Amino acid sequence: MTTETIHDKARLRQARRAVMAVFCVHGAVTGSFATRIPWIQDHAGISAGQLGLALAFPAIGASLAMPLAGAISHRFGARTALRGLLALWTLSLILPSLMPNLYVLCLALFVYGATSGMADVAMNALGVEVENRLDKSIMSGLHGMWSLGALIGSAAGTVAAHLGTDARLHHLVAALVLTALGLLACRRVLDVRSAPDAEAPPHFALPPRSALLIGAVGFCAVFAEGASLDWSAVYLRDVLDTSAGVAAASTTAFALTMTVARLAGDRVVDRFGAVRTVRTGGALALTGGVLVVLAPHPLVAMGGFGLLGLGVAVVVPLAFAAAGRSGPNPSQAIAGVATITYTSGLIAPSAIGAVADATSLVVSFGLVTLLALGLIAGAGVLRTGDRRPAGPGDPAPDAAAALSDPAPGAASAVSDPTPGAASTRTAP
C-alpha cells in the first residue's frame, strides 16, 4: 500500500467522523427545541390548536427550501455550503422562543424548518458521497448519530426545563455551542465541487420518478415512526389504561430502539444487502403492529412498539442512499425523497388522530400495520442502495453507483456526483 493510498484512506476516515459529528449536531438542535415547546407555547400565549398549526410550519419551510440545497452546493462547493447551511440551522434555534404571538412564531418556525431542510439535504448528500468512496454502508450509522444527538439535546433540554431556565437563554447558549461544534466538524468534510462546465441544478424541480418510488417506501417508514413517537404513550394510556409513567416509557423505549438499530444497521446492510434488510425490517414492523393492535397487556404493546422501531429504523437512511445513486442528478433525487418523508412525518400524527376520532386508536394502528406491508412490497426499489456485490441471480448494479470518485484524494477536483451537493438529506 502506497503512502498516498494510506493518506487518502486517513482523509476518508476523518471525513466520515466529521459527517457523523454534523449529523449529531443537527439532531441536537431538534432535541433542544422539542423539550421547550411547552415553554414556547406559554410565552406566545397560544392554545393547543394554535400550537398544532404553528408546528406545521417547520415541515412546510423544509419542503419548500430543500430543492435549493443542490444549487447552493453547486455554486459554493459542498464544504462551504454545508458550513453555511448548518450554521443557519443551529442559529435558527434562537428564534422560536423569542416570538410573542402566533403569527411571528409561525414565521420563525418556517425559517427554522427551511434551514433544517437545506442543511439536512447537504449533509445527507455528503454522507452518500463518503459511503460511495468507502464502498461500505455508513448511512444507517449517520442517522443513528442524528438520533443520538436528538437524545442528547432532549436530555439537556429536560434538565433546563426542570431547573426552570428561561428557554430564550437555554436556546441562545445551545445555539452558540452547537454552531461552534458544527463549524469545527465541517472543517474535515469532503469538499466536493462541480466541474467548471457542469450545468447548475434547477432551484425548483419536480423529483424524478425514481425518487417518487423510493420516497413511497420512505413514506411508509416515516409514517410508522411519527405515529409511534407521537401516539404510543397515548395508546397505552387510553387503550390499555396504563399509568402516565409507563405510557411515557413506551415512547422512550421506541426512540432508544431506533437509535440502537440505526447505529448497528450498517453491519447488517453490508452483510445482507439493502433489499433483504428492508424486507426483514418490514416483517418485524408488521409483527410489531399486529402485537400493538391485539395487545392484551401493556408489556405486549410496548414490545410491539419496540419491533416497529426496530423494523423501520434503517429504511430512511437506505432510501437516501438509494436516491443518491438513482440517476444523473442525485441532489434532486435526495431532495425529492426528503420532501416526501418530511410530508409523511407532517401528516402522520394528524392522520392518526383523525382516524382515531372517527373510529379508535386501535384502528389507527391497524393502518400503521398495513403500511408496514409497503416496506416488504417496495423494498426492491432500494436496490441502488445495496452495496453487496451482485450475485448470479441479481440484476447488474445501477450505473449511478459508479459515480463516486475512484481517487478519494482528488475530492476537490472531481465532477460532483451529487450535483449540488455533496450537498443532501439525508437522514431523520
Side-chain angles (χ1 to χ4, degrees):
M1 184 178 295
T2 66
T3 302
E4 182 178 358
T5 302
I6 295 173
H7 178 67
D8 289 342
K9 288 189 175 182
R11 289 183 67 248
L12 276 178
R13 287 194 295 269
Q14 288 181 340
R16 179 182 181 179
R17 289 193 292 268
V19 175
M20 290 173 67
V22 167
F23 270 76
C24 190
V25 167
H26 195 285
V29 176
T30 301
S32 299
F33 167 74
T35 54
R36 306 312 304 271
I37 289 176
W39 190 100
I40 292 171
Q41 179 185 6
D42 291 343
H43 179 69
I46 57 178
S47 66
Q50 290 173 324
L51 177 63
L53 172 65
L55 291 177
F57 276 80
I60 295 171
S63 298
L64 292 177
M66 278 176 175
L68 295 173
I72 293 171
S73 293
H74 175 88
R75 179 172 181 180
F76 297 105
R79 182 184 297 161
T80 300
L82 180 61
R83 183 185 293 128
L85 293 174
L86 186 64
L88 288 175
W89 161 235
T90 53
L91 290 173
S92 73
L93 176 62
I94 299 172
L95 297 177
S97 60
L98 299 176
M99 300 300 111
N101 59 58
L102 174 65
Y103 305 105
V104 288
L105 178 60
C106 288
L107 178 61
L109 290 176
F110 181 91
V111 174
Y112 172 86
T115 55
S116 170
M118 290 188 290
D120 198 357
V121 167
M123 71 188 192
N124 272 277
L126 267 176
V128 171
E129 177 65 12
V130 173
E131 181 175 272
N132 283 342
R133 297 184 183 198
L134 288 171
D135 197 29
K136 66 178 181 180
S137 297
I138 67 168
M139 291 301 292
S140 179
L142 292 180
H143 283 254
M145 290 300 296
W146 188 96
S147 298
L148 180 61
L151 286 173
I152 293 172
S154 296
T158 299
V159 171
H162 180 72
L163 295 175
T165 305
D166 190 303
R168 291 168 293 190
L169 176 60
H170 165 212
H171 283 170
L172 174 62
V173 173
L176 294 177
V177 170
L178 292 173
T179 299
L181 292 175
L183 291 175
L184 185 63
C186 286
R187 293 176 58 188
R188 295 293 185 180
V189 300
L190 294 178
D191 191 19
V192 183
R193 294 181 180 272
S194 300
D197 58 346
E199 182 180 353
H203 289 82
F204 293 97
L206 293 175
R209 182 182 177 185
S210 60
L212 295 177
L213 296 174
I214 294 169
V217 177
F219 180 96
C220 294
V222 174
F223 193 99
E225 178 183 348
S228 298
L229 281 173
D230 286 3
W231 286 94
S232 58
V234 177
Y235 190 94
L236 263 72
R237 183 194 66 190
D238 293 355
V239 176
L240 297 174
D241 197 27
T242 64
S243 66
V246 173
S250 69
T251 303
T252 302
F254 178 86
L256 286 174
T257 299
M258 286 202 64
T259 301
V260 172
R262 283 178 168 175
L263 290 173
D266 289 321
R267 291 186 179 183
V268 177
V269 175
D270 277 333
R271 180 170 182 179
F272 298 105
V275 176
R276 288 177 63 188
T277 299
V278 171
R279 282 183 179 152
T280 302
L284 290 174
L286 179 64
T287 303
V290 170
L291 287 177
V292 169
V293 170
L294 300 180
H297 190 275
L299 288 179
V300 177
M302 291 177 70
F305 282 118
L307 285 177
L308 272 169
L310 188 64
V312 304
V314 302
V315 177
V316 171
L318 290 177
F320 286 121
R325 305 185 188 99
S326 64
N329 197 331
S331 62
Q332 183 183 347
I334 290 173
V337 170
T339 301
I340 294 169
T341 56
Y342 263 68
T343 300
S344 179
L346 171 64
I347 69 173
S350 57
I352 292 296
V355 173
D357 282 343
T359 55
S360 68
L361 267 178
V362 175
V363 175
S364 294
F365 277 91
L367 173 62
V368 172
T369 304
L370 288 176
L371 286 176
L373 289 172
L375 301 179
I376 301 173
V381 303
L382 304 183
R383 197 171 299 279
T384 52
D386 201 331
R387 306 211 55 83
R388 294 183 310 136
D394 292 335
D398 193 293
L403 288 175
S404 61
D405 178 24
S412 63
V414 298
S415 174
D416 181 3
T418 63
S423 181
T424 205
R425 200 182 149 91
T426 50

